[in-house]
Amino acid sequence: MMELENKNTTAVDHEYGASEIQVLEGLEAVRKRPGMYIGSTSSSGLHHLVYEIVDNAIDEALAGFCTEISVDIGPGNVITVQDNGRGIPVDIQQQTGKPALEVVFTILHAGGKFGGGGYKVSGGLHGVGASVVNALSDWLTVQVHKDGNIYEMKFSRGQVVQPMTITGKTERSGTQVRFHPDPEMFTETTDYDYDTLHTRMREEAFLNAGLTITISDSREEEVRRETMCYAGGIREFVSYINRNKTTIHDTPIYMSGAKGDDAMAEVALQYTDTYNEIIVSFANNVHTPEGGMHEEGFRRALTNALNAYGKKANILKNDDKVSGEDCREGLTCVIAVKLTEAQFEGQTKAKLGNASIRTLTMSVVSEKLEEYLEENPKAARLILDKAMMANRAREAA
Ligand code: TSJ
């Protein structure tokens, strides 16, 4: 508010419109209660800033226009995120009279309001977008390569420092955002952890098959860097989790299906000779460690399919059955669903609540797993033997 009054007394011929008041108040709110927007201002919130920016680039990849994303932690913990997408639109918007680029960085929840199609990954756990990162950065610079020009804009703590300016010519297209987390906001630490970002970026690479993601740490003389691209998507995620384990069938089983344009479900699974159950699930690329409807649908379909096949193939005699737990012993599974309006529930908003996803996941797994078992009797036999062994062990105990 102070800001506004100052400007109104000094800028003689400029009346502030309602939209501009909202802009200032909006980003002030973020700085007043940062935890409301990024969960916390501890190390977790600090890393969340990077995920917010990367999610925007991933949306561009999901829309089919971006194949490469890079993330660097630079000297002084300056973060640079770059993609080779179409570049954030720079045209002047009707409602605001401002470049779309400015709106993206100065209006809360502006992300995904224009353009689009497909599932938006942002809108997950906190899913608040670029303006929140901008509000919580002591400085932020964006460069857009688009239509032959390089457009640049600079901000400090959410305020425009340099309006959109053409700074040169270019032959490529893409977006680059550089920011420094505001030490006034992140009072505990502004130090990024390479391994934390590396792990999350590897997860994003698994979840977005074919997308190339590079993570680097150029803070020290000796630069750390890894480029990740997984053509096999979540199949390779399962192989990665099982990399040091003995598996009982050669390649992960992969299943996918969609319900119109509203929702899709993907599951990859592989059994190992261990007694552990590892189910890692995601909704719109957001990790759901508390599970939810997608996991429920999966579990029910897995138990049903193994019992049905066991009976049909005469592996399960008489009225013998294997329980859900039996079916999940030694299982490594990754579930990834995408849906238009994900409902995250529970204490930590880490549980998927959409009931329609239970039905979809169940029907995808029922249908595709039955098919797999019929076509791969050797693997099917090994999986059922393992479940029956688990059943006997449980009954003996
Ligand atoms: F977070 C962010 F907004 F700052 C950001 C956005 C950061 C990074 C690294 C990339 C991006 C981003 C946004 N990359 N690509 C896009 N694409 C668009 O914003 C875009 C481009 C074209 C059209 C269109 O309809 O022509 C629509 C959109 C949403």
Side-chain angles (χ1 to χ4, degrees):
M1 283 314 275
M2 214 44 226
E3 209 73 45
L4 252 161
E5 282 159 24
N6 284 344
K7 281 192 183 168
N8 264 339
T9 51
T10 49
V12 183
D13 57 358
H14 186 98
E15 291 280 332
Y16 273 78
S19 64
E20 283 171 88
I21 291 167
Q22 254 179 1
V23 171
L24 292 171
E25 287 185 345
L27 294 190
E28 258 172 37
V30 177
R31 292 182 61 82
K32 242 178 225 154
R33 295 172 157 216
M36 292 266 292
Y37 299 88
I38 54 163
S40 84
T41 52
S42 62
S43 179
S44 148
L46 181 76
H47 290 79
H48 197 82
L49 299 183
V50 180
Y51 310 152
E52 275 308 327
I53 297 297
V54 170
D55 277 355
N56 282 274
I58 287 182
D59 278 347
E60 184 72 355
L62 287 174
F65 299 102
C66 159
T67 57
E68 286 183 35
I69 299 172
S70 67
V71 179
D72 178 65
I73 316 167
N77 287 293
V78 172
I79 297 290
T80 305
V81 182
Q82 186 161 344
D83 75 19
N84 66 345
R86 291 167 295 178
I88 301 174
V90 293
D91 48 297
I92 307 292
Q93 278 197 319
Q94 280 289 316
Q95 313 112 285
T96 56
K98 292 174 177 178
L101 180 65
E102 180 173 338
V103 171
V104 165
F105 284 94
T106 55
I107 296 185
L108 259 155
H109 295 292
K113 282 244 177 82
F114 50 92
Y119 319 98
K120 292 280 172 188
V121 292
S122 26
L125 184 53
H126 299 290
V128 283
S131 64
V132 169
V133 178
N134 192 23
L136 301 177
S137 298
D138 55 356
W139 63 265
L140 181 147
T141 303
V142 55
Q143 273 193 357
V144 173
H145 288 240
K146 200 179 177 76
D147 305 329
N149 293 320
I150 303 171
Y151 301 85
E152 190 182 75
M153 196 161 182
K154 293 184 178 180
F155 307 86
S156 175
R157 302 189 164 105
Q159 308 277 335
V160 177
V161 166
Q162 179 197 295
M164 191 171 78
T165 313
I166 294 178
T167 58
K169 294 275 164 206
T170 185
E171 306 226 294
R172 59 179 183 88
S173 74
T175 302
Q176 186 201 69
V177 174
R178 305 190 78 208
F179 69 90
H180 181 260
D182 188 352
E184 285 179 12
M185 293 285 118
F186 299 92
T187 47
E188 253 177 62
T189 178
T190 53
D191 218 26
Y192 278 102
D193 179 50
Y194 177 72
D195 291 332
T196 300
L197 292 182
H198 183 196
T199 300
R200 178 61 187 151
M201 291 309 117
R202 183 169 51 215
E203 214 169 79
E204 292 278 21
F206 282 130
L207 291 168
N208 297 279
L211 175 64
T212 301
I213 303 182
T214 299
I215 173 79
S216 59
D217 184 347
S218 59
R219 283 175 296 190
E220 307 278 333
E221 198 110 335
E222 195 160 333
V223 176
R224 293 213 265 174
R225 178 188 312 275
E226 189 174 337
T227 296
M228 300 160 290
C229 178
Y230 305 105
I234 62 168
R235 297 172 193 81
E236 289 192 57
F237 200 161
V238 167
S239 299
Y240 176 80
I241 297 169
N242 285 346
R243 68 194 176 285
N244 295 324
K245 299 184 173 127
T246 304
T247 56
I248 72 166
H249 53 106
D250 279 344
T251 40
I253 305 169
Y254 176 79
M255 301 162 266
S256 74
K259 181 172 164 252
D261 291 330
D262 293 339
M264 68 96 91
E266 264 189 304
V267 177
L269 65 86
Q270 185 178 37
Y271 283 88
T272 68
D273 68 355
T274 68
Y275 302 100
N276 308 325
E277 167 188 338
I278 303 175
I279 299 181
V280 189
S281 68
F282 300 85
N284 293 353
N285 289 358
V286 176
H287 189 26
T288 43
E290 289 178 41
M293 294 298 175
H294 47 350
E295 285 195 21
E296 273 186 37
F298 166 75
R299 285 197 303 261
R300 203 180 299 181
L302 179 74
T303 311
N304 289 346
L306 290 186
N307 277 290
Y309 179 80
K311 189 165 183 164
K312 197 172 166 190
N314 207 29
I315 300 169
L316 287 170
K317 318 276 188 209
N318 307 319
D319 276 337
D320 283 0
K321 282 196 174 69
V322 281
S323 72
E325 244 180 296
D326 299 334
C327 295
R328 295 191 300 274
E329 201 175 280
L331 173 72
T332 300
C333 173
V334 173
I335 306 172
V337 300
K338 294 200 172 91
L339 63 170
T340 42
E341 279 181 26
Q343 305 263 328
F344 294 95
E345 297 176 343
Q347 281 277 296
T348 55
K349 299 267 175 252
K351 184 175 179 182
L352 183 65
N354 305 65
S356 63
I357 277 294
R358 182 178 49 205
T359 318
L360 175 65
T361 311
M362 206 165 82
S363 65
V364 167
V365 174
S366 295
E367 187 184 323
K368 300 290 164 71
L369 190 56
E370 184 189 328
E371 216 173 276
Y372 175 88
L373 296 169
E374 300 274 358
E375 287 169 11
N376 300 273
K378 257 166 81 182
R381 176 93 222 183
L382 291 167
I383 292 168
L384 265 145
D385 281 347
K386 173 137 178 95
M388 290 191 306
M389 195 98 93
N391 186 266
R392 266 179 242 124
R394 224 178 295 285
E395 284 188 351

